[in-house]
Amino acid sequence: MAKMNMLQAINNALDLAMAKDDTVVCFGEDVGHFGGVFRATSKLQEKYGKARCFNTPLTEQGIAGFANGMAAQGMKPIAEIQFADYIFPAFDQIVNETAKFRYRSGNEFDVGGIVFRSPYGGGIAGGHYHSQSPEAYFAHTPGLKVVIPRDPYQAKGLLLASIASPDPVIFFEPKKLYRASTGEVPEDYYEIELGKAEVVQQGKDVTVLAWGAQMEIVDKAVAMAQEQGVSCEVIDLRSILPWDADTVAASVQKTGRLVINHEAPLTGGFAGEIAATIQKMCFLYLESPIERVCGLDTPYPLALEKEYVADHLKTYEAIMRSVKF
């Protein structure tokens, strides 16, 4: 297997998808010859031509609308939103058109070939317009899938599965990990099933759940807890919509405790949905209240980014609160 960082794995996935299917096209702001602001689409225009990898005007609503039209005609558009913070002008197209296309036609037509790729999250000193985590907004929308990888291997397999999916997918890429996360990645085509969480570490005292770049933070907290004799079961949710409640519930029924970590603000964050579901499924098994370790209910700050982040120290404290309750 080749060693790749997350950007290289994503680029490799796009290359394989375009080689496999002539209906796959990539477009967005600066994705052509420039290769995107992070170079995720580097050299794709040179290889597949301007008809299949091209720049768009600076209009996210237009990018989403264009993707809807192409997908409705049977193509597989992979539309890049340059930063997840910029996805909000496209919100109407995605929520009211993309997500409802199949439903409103009684399954006569659909836009299932769409993938919206977008770098999300903080950790790069990007301030409030280049650091947001908007996954919960879209998790409230039936008709979409929302996927977030944690490393290069996951990014490639999940992206290829998203492109092959019969449903529209929003694929949020943790940009903090683009070059920081490296690992062995098969060079051949492979898919990782959407909607399935992964238990990445077995444990017996407490379940710790996260996704994306927060998995690295959780690992540090779990290592600290391990030094105190606390055995943590660690789960990467991977898919936000649909999310794998059964895997999480099976773990919590074993450990009796749950700590959820995500980068987005606490109020209205997806951890609340998880907590509500798990307390219903596991009520008689819980030994302590479900803990949520999340971003603060403020705009994402530039100067106080370290204080804002749901870091390993906050996560460790939540783990210890849970086991000592």
Side-chain angles (χ1 to χ4, degrees):
M1 291 190 288
K3 188 171 185 179
M4 302 183 190
N5 62 30
M6 185 175 284
L7 273 177
Q8 291 166 333
I10 290 167
N11 181 263
N12 182 230
L14 295 172
D15 187 8
L16 289 173
M18 294 179 78
K20 182 181 180 183
D21 187 344
D22 289 342
T23 67
V24 174
V25 294
C26 293
F27 54 88
E29 296 163 7
D30 301 319
V31 306
H33 177 71
F34 190 60
V37 68
F38 292 103
R39 306 297 188 272
T41 54
S42 180
K43 300 188 182 303
L44 294 180
Q45 187 179 84
E46 295 174 27
K47 187 170 183 179
Y48 296 102
K50 293 182 179 180
R52 295 188 61 200
C53 182
F54 52 89
N55 296 334
T56 65
L58 304 183
T59 167
E60 284 74 24
Q61 185 179 25
I63 291 169
F66 189 54
N68 281 331
M70 294 185 83
Q73 296 301 313
M75 300 191 75
K76 291 188 174 181
I78 305 171
E80 179 178 307
I81 305 296
Q82 195 170 80
F83 286 87
D85 315 61
Y86 303 168
I87 204 167
F88 299 112
F91 198 76
D92 175 60
Q93 279 290 323
I94 296 171
V95 170
N96 279 330
E97 305 300 337
T98 306
K100 296 174 175 61
F101 229 77
R102 188 191 306 275
Y103 175 81
R104 69 181 182 142
S105 72
N107 203 31
E108 288 297 314
F109 51 87
D110 64 79
V111 291
I114 290 179
V115 176
F116 292 105
R117 289 182 45 250
S118 191
Y120 95 108
I124 63 164
H128 55 286
Y129 284 144
H130 298 83
S131 303
Q132 295 177 73
S133 300
E135 64 268 26
Y137 290 104
F138 297 99
H140 196 61
T141 307
L144 298 176
K145 291 182 178 177
V146 181
V147 179
I148 304 176
R150 73 172 185 272
D151 63 26
Y153 176 83
Q154 302 287 327
K156 179 177 175 179
L158 290 169
L159 180 54
L160 286 171
S162 297
I163 296 167
S165 171
D167 302 299
V169 179
I170 300 179
F171 192 85
F172 285 126
E173 301 162 4
K175 57 183 176 288
K176 174 184 175 182
L177 301 183
Y178 268 159
R179 292 181 175 85
S181 178
T182 61
E184 290 190 337
V185 179
E187 295 183 82
D188 294 335
Y189 184 100
Y190 66 93
E191 296 180 12
I192 296 174
E193 184 180 358
L194 303 183
K196 296 293 289 185
E198 181 184 9
V199 179
V200 298
Q201 177 177 311
Q202 296 285 339
K204 61 183 179 62
D205 296 326
V206 57
T207 300
V208 184
L209 173 67
W211 52 87
Q214 295 303 103
M215 289 300 297
E216 185 178 53
I217 286 172
V218 159
D219 287 344
K220 291 180 182 179
V222 165
M224 292 173 66
Q226 187 73 46
E227 292 177 0
Q228 302 300 316
V230 177
S231 172
C232 299
E233 182 143 302
V234 181
I235 299 178
D236 176 9
L237 196 59
R238 300 197 295 195
S239 288
I240 304 300
L241 189 67
W243 71 280
D244 188 358
D246 290 340
T247 294
V248 179
S251 176
V252 174
Q253 286 171 10
K254 178 175 70 171
T255 66
R257 301 173 180 88
L258 176 61
V259 175
I260 310 164
N261 177 302
H262 67 56
E263 202 169 333
L266 175 73
T267 302
F270 197 65
E273 174 64 27
I274 296 170
T277 301
I278 295 303
Q279 72 84 23
K280 184 175 182 179
M281 295 177 73
C282 305
F283 186 74
L284 296 178
Y285 295 86
L286 288 171
E287 300 288 346
S288 65
I290 295 172
E291 292 276 355
R292 292 182 292 162
V293 186
C294 308
L296 304 180
D297 287 338
T298 70
Y300 200 105
L302 177 60
L304 298 174
E305 183 171 41
K306 289 183 179 178
E307 288 74 13
Y308 176 91
V309 170
D311 67 8
H312 63 290
L313 298 175
K314 296 176 185 176
T315 307
Y316 168 74
E317 290 173 354
I319 291 170
M320 300 310 292
R321 275 198 308 271
S322 183
V323 296
K324 291 180 178 180
F325 180 80

